[in-house]
């Protein structure tokens, strides 16, 4: 895991920093040490690479992540426990919102 180069979906660092500053929770990017651990789901057959992962600290973070994905035309997913069999709780090259730690 972690060997894949994750596209930034055309987002510049300022745009990503602005999102990070608007959150109460954490923003995890492919450059972060915990990226692979954070993006992993229980089903080992599902191996998705979101561009950004919002580790939410409240409903406002989910709303902000969704608004950001919409503004930048990115796929969006919400993950609570990450137990959906088909892996629909995470996305490739989009924004994944996570409620668990």
């Amino acid at each position: 895991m972690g060997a894949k180069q994750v596209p930034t979906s055309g987002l510049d660092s300022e745009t990503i920093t602005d999102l990070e500053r608007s959150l109460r929770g954490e923003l995890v990017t492919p450059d972060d040490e915990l990226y692979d651990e954070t993006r992993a789901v229980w089903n080992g057959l599902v191996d998705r690479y979101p561009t950004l992962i919002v580790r939410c600290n409240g409903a406002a973070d989910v709303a902000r992540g969704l608004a950001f994905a919409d503004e930048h035309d990115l796929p969006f997913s919400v993950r609570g426990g990450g137990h959906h069999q088909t892996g629909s709780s995470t996305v490739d090259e989009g924004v994944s919102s996570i409620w668990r730690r």
Side-chain angles (χ1 to χ4, degrees):
M1 292 173 82
K4 181 177 176 179
Q5 182 68 28
V6 181
T8 60
S9 300
L11 301 172
D12 60 45
S13 61
E14 184 177 345
T15 301
I16 294 170
T17 299
D18 287 346
L19 172 61
E20 186 171 29
R21 288 181 180 152
S22 73
L23 300 170
R24 288 182 49 204
E26 288 179 77
L27 184 66
V28 179
T29 69
D31 295 331
D32 291 325
E33 187 175 310
L34 293 176
Y35 177 77
D36 281 329
E37 180 181 326
T38 304
R39 72 178 182 80
V41 295
W42 73 275
N43 183 349
L45 297 176
V46 175
D47 193 22
R48 304 261 169 82
Y49 292 82
T51 301
L52 301 170
I53 302 169
V54 178
R55 293 178 73 175
C56 299
N57 186 5
D61 283 352
V62 177
R64 181 63 190 118
L66 176 58
F68 182 89
D70 187 53
E71 290 166 16
H72 297 281
D73 199 29
L74 297 171
F76 180 78
S77 68
V78 176
R79 186 169 92 202
H83 291 96
H84 197 278
Q85 294 173 342
T86 63
S88 63
S89 62
T90 189
V91 294
D92 273 324
E93 300 179 28
V95 179
S96 185
S97 176
I98 299 178
W99 275 92
R100 66 174 172 83
R101 293 242 174 214

